[in-house]
Amino acid sequence: LATLYGSEGSIVGRRPGDEALKAASEKARAAFLAKAPTFRRGLQPNERLVVKAPFTFDDQTEYMWVEVVGWRTSSIEGVLMNDSHFNRKLRVGHRITVNLRDVYD
């Protein structure tokens, strides 16, 4: 759709130590981790599990959306759902592995 209609993605910066953001992230992580048994049994048709994970480039950390396609003991396999603003190699559809402890939201 972005190709067809255009997209105006923007980066929203946050300062480290934002307590409200940290609390929201911890709540979302707990809900995500609770989905492990459901995901392993198999999602229903048209269901998706999407998480936000950090990617660090030099001194910048960018949080990107990842659709979960596989769940291992300590990591998830996923497909990027957006292009990186900082790393031209990370594009929509790129398969990646994210450590479970790094899942942010």
Side-chain angles (χ1 to χ4, degrees):
L1 290 176
T3 302
L4 197 58
Y5 295 105
S7 173
E8 294 189 28
S10 62
I11 298 175
V12 177
R14 296 288 183 248
R15 287 198 166 101
D18 182 326
E19 291 302 318
L21 191 59
K22 182 179 176 185
S25 173
E26 289 171 0
K27 182 178 178 181
R29 271 183 49 75
F32 161 70
L33 293 172
K35 293 285 186 188
T38 302
F39 185 84
R40 289 189 176 119
R41 277 192 306 274
L43 298 176
Q44 297 299 312
N46 296 321
E47 273 189 318
R48 298 174 13 178
L49 183 57
V50 179
V51 299
K52 194 184 298 181
F55 296 84
T56 302
F57 316 103
D58 299 324
D59 63 341
Q60 297 286 333
T61 299
E62 179 176 14
Y63 292 86
M64 298 175 64
W65 291 107
V66 178
E67 182 174 358
V68 179
V69 296
W71 197 309
R72 303 194 189 291
T73 304
S74 61
S75 65
I76 57 165
E77 301 294 320
V79 177
L80 287 178
M81 297 184 68
N82 58 293
D83 294 336
S84 171
H85 290 276
F86 299 116
N87 184 332
R88 293 279 180 216
K89 294 180 183 179
L90 294 179
R91 294 288 176 235
V92 170
H94 187 91
R95 282 199 62 134
I96 52 136
T97 300
V98 175
N99 193 304
L100 285 175
R101 71 174 178 262
D102 293 334
V103 170
Y104 185 77
D105 190 354

